[in-house]
Amino acid sequence: MQRLLASYRAIPASATVRLAKPTSNLFRARAKTTSKGLDVSGLTGVVAVDPDARTADVAGMCTYEDLVAATLPYGLAPLVVPQLKTITLGGAVTGLGIESTSFRNGLPHESVLEMDILTGTGDVVTVSRDLCSDLFEAFPNSYGTLGYSVRLKIELESVKPFVALRHLRFHSVEDLVTAMDRIIETGGHDGVPVDYLDGVLFSADESYLTLGFQTSAPGTVSDYTGQQIYYRSIQHPDGEKHDRLTVHDYLWRWDTDWFWCSRAFGAQDPRIRRLWPRRYRRSSFYWKLIGYDQRFNIADRIEKRNGRPPLERVVQDIEVPIERCAEFLGWFLDNVPIEPIWLCPLRLRDEGNWPLYPIRPHHTYVNVGFWSSVPVGPTDGYTNKMIEEKVSKLDGHKSLYSDAYYSPDDFDELYGGETYKTVKKTYDPDSRLLDLYAKAVQRR
């Protein structure tokens, strides 16, 4: 804590306060700065786990990889564990996170009991639903523009050692959405409670829901950290396919191949995969490769050499109400040449007020994730803008971890507007931190 505060005081009053951290899961361009960032090197661990109360006190920059490693020995896990190991707890709360428990546990910030937040004034403020509730409620989706979490106390849930999987095949998007809705409304499938739920869409006539069931029964488990690739294991001709993983490997099933994005680096070619060190089969290493591409424009140079136009990056997660999901997916398949697509349903746990990402309580939404690139269009950000417009028409939102193109008025309407400005003025009156629109859209 003292290093953090000392680094804050060392930043000139005229400079914007930013984090100095070695990893990121953001895909937004970021302006270079000569000023030093906040020293968060002392905020990376788990402070304590209380197995009786099923809570954990966690430093804000602790990764979910380290958090899960501390809780699983107690048979406990965070209520929502985002898919990638280097996502931090503080990042998932201020930037939103989601996973296959979100249909029953909501989003990561809903399991936060209290937080210590370093605000733009240099003060550390303790917030909860009852203490400084304006900052507590506005913090999710603020992306560090209202402050940085120093410590978070979160709820945990009991987990069993294994997860039994059932991959259900569908031949139409409409049938998949109908089945997803039924599982969420009933909480189960074939009379058995479902613990985890997500899906993958490969094409209009090939899509899957994966249902996870916690179990203590011993048995053979699969390993997708080696030569086998998890998302390919989902595919089958018809009906359903069964599989089993340890709960640890289930939580990190997407990290080994960064969902399916490792194919861009050749890591899914069997000849290359055999030589690819296991320790480098993880999202954090692929992210470094992306960084080299962005720095040296490698992909665009390859496209130019092959006589093809440069590429527009389309790396987004959006949410639409479940009743509009099939419509969005049909439109997307007709207009955006990206596959596969990840599907993850979510439903808020309670009626909490989260003004910077306002979705209706007691209502199911579906997160749609697509991460690739397409040929550039006639204008800058053409495909991304087209997606933003469609999502807004369907009463949806999109996450702000990647490129955004909203006008100031549209952005205010979607992401907090006057509520954000009021909280910003209270806890960052001198604008030491970036404004959310400047950070998410103007990319300063």
Side-chain angles (χ1 to χ4, degrees):
M1 177 73 79
Q2 294 306 314
R3 274 181 287 174
L4 175 71
L5 295 176
S7 66
Y8 176 91
R9 291 191 291 268
I11 298 173
S14 59
T16 299
V17 176
R18 299 177 185 268
L19 289 182
K21 63 178 202 172
T23 63
S24 173
N25 286 283
L26 298 181
F27 277 83
R28 285 190 259 103
R30 178 173 170 175
K32 293 183 179 180
T33 178
T34 57
S35 62
K36 291 185 177 180
L38 292 173
D39 183 352
V40 294
S41 58
L43 303 177
T44 59
V46 177
V47 179
V49 176
D50 186 335
D52 296 323
R54 294 197 299 188
T55 62
D57 275 285
V58 186
M61 294 300 297
C62 179
T63 66
Y64 272 93
E65 182 176 24
D66 290 340
L67 176 54
V68 166
T71 62
L72 279 187
Y74 297 100
L76 299 171
L79 271 63
V80 179
V81 179
Q83 314 87 345
L84 307 180
K85 292 178 176 179
T86 57
I87 293 175
T88 63
L89 177 59
V93 171
T94 194
L96 303 185
I98 192 170
E99 235 296 320
S100 59
T101 57
S102 289
F103 78 101
R104 59 183 178 84
N105 287 340
L107 301 174
H109 58 267
E110 294 188 87
S111 61
V112 175
L113 300 174
E114 67 177 29
M115 288 183 282
D116 294 337
I117 296 176
L118 174 68
T119 67
T121 61
D123 299 311
V124 176
V125 179
T126 300
V127 304
S128 67
R129 293 178 187 268
D130 301 316
L131 189 65
C132 298
S133 60
D134 54 345
L135 179 56
F136 181 80
E137 293 171 350
F139 193 73
N141 209 44
S142 63
Y143 281 90
T145 65
L146 296 177
Y148 296 105
S149 57
V150 176
R151 178 193 64 89
L152 305 95
K153 184 175 183 179
I154 63 168
E155 299 175 72
L156 304 172
E157 68 175 5
S158 296
V159 293
K160 295 178 181 177
F162 304 101
V163 180
L165 302 179
R166 297 173 68 176
H167 304 302
L168 310 184
R169 165 81 189 251
F170 295 89
H171 296 275
S172 78
V173 171
E174 291 77 11
D175 287 347
L176 178 143
V177 173
T178 298
M180 178 190 291
D181 196 26
R182 183 174 62 251
I183 291 167
I184 295 167
E185 291 299 324
T186 63
H189 179 70
D190 288 346
V192 182
V194 174
D195 297 304
Y196 306 99
L197 178 64
D198 67 349
V200 179
L201 187 149
F202 291 89
S203 66
D205 58 4
E206 184 189 3
S207 56
Y208 303 86
L209 286 180
T210 294
L211 286 54
F213 306 86
Q214 293 185 26
T215 177
S216 298
T220 303
V221 294
S222 297
D223 178 7
Y224 297 106
T225 63
Q227 297 307 302
Q228 302 304 310
I229 298 169
Y230 173 71
Y231 83 99
R232 288 301 182 191
S233 75
I234 295 172
Q235 294 180 277
H236 58 275
D238 214 341
E240 65 179 72
K241 180 181 179 182
H242 293 241
D243 201 353
R244 279 171 54 92
L245 293 170
T246 65
V247 66
H248 174 275
D249 285 358
Y250 175 79
L251 293 175
W252 301 129
R253 68 202 182 284
W254 292 121
D255 189 85
T256 300
D257 283 287
W258 210 6
F259 284 84
W260 31 81
C261 298
S262 68
R263 64 185 179 181
F265 312 108
Q268 295 180 27
D269 184 320
R271 298 165 298 177
I272 297 174
R273 196 175 185 86
R274 282 193 292 269
L275 302 175
W276 196 292
R278 186 183 291 255
R279 67 183 180 278
Y280 294 141
R281 291 189 209 122
R282 53 182 287 143
S283 61
S284 57
F285 182 72
Y286 304 131
W287 172 252
K288 290 180 181 180
L289 298 181
I290 288 287
Y292 288 127
D293 175 62
Q294 293 175 343
R295 183 178 177 183
F296 299 109
N297 296 318
I298 297 171
D300 282 348
R301 289 182 179 184
I302 293 173
E303 295 302 302
K304 183 177 180 180
R305 181 174 297 177
N306 291 319
R308 296 189 294 263
L311 299 172
E312 175 186 350
R313 183 176 62 190
V314 181
V315 178
Q316 305 287 355
D317 279 74
I318 65 94
E319 273 99 28
V320 290
I322 193 167
E323 66 272 17
R324 313 302 294 272
C325 181
E327 180 181 352
F328 175 79
L329 292 174
W331 173 87
F332 189 93
L333 291 171
D334 287 341
N335 290 277
V336 185
I338 291 177
E339 57 76 27
I341 302 168
W342 186 55
L343 306 174
C344 186
L346 69 110
R347 194 176 179 114
L348 294 181
R349 290 176 67 198
D350 54 35
E351 297 187 19
N353 177 33
W354 312 108
L356 270 63
Y357 207 75
I359 60 178
R360 286 179 280 165
H362 312 298
H363 197 88
T364 301
Y365 290 74
V366 180
N367 176 282
V368 184
F370 36 91
W371 317 292
S372 189
S373 55
V374 300
V376 294
T379 58
D380 179 49
Y382 177 80
T383 299
N384 282 284
K385 291 176 182 177
M386 187 169 59
I387 292 168
E388 287 181 354
E389 182 179 353
K390 185 64 176 180
V391 170
S392 294
K393 286 182 178 178
L394 298 179
D395 298 322
H397 284 77
K398 82 169 190 177
S399 298
L400 297 175
Y401 69 83
S402 189
D403 299 323
Y405 297 86
Y406 296 107
S407 70
D409 288 343
D410 289 342
F411 190 86
D412 279 354
E413 184 177 348
L414 290 168
Y415 300 105
E418 287 302 319
T419 299
Y420 171 76
K421 293 174 184 177
T422 300
V423 177
K424 176 77 168 172
K425 190 65 177 177
T426 301
Y427 294 96
D428 185 25
D430 297 323
S431 297
R432 296 298 310 278
L433 307 170
L434 277 177
D435 172 77
L436 184 58
Y437 184 76
K439 191 170 189 176
V441 181
Q442 298 172 322
R443 295 180 278 282
R444 295 199 337 235

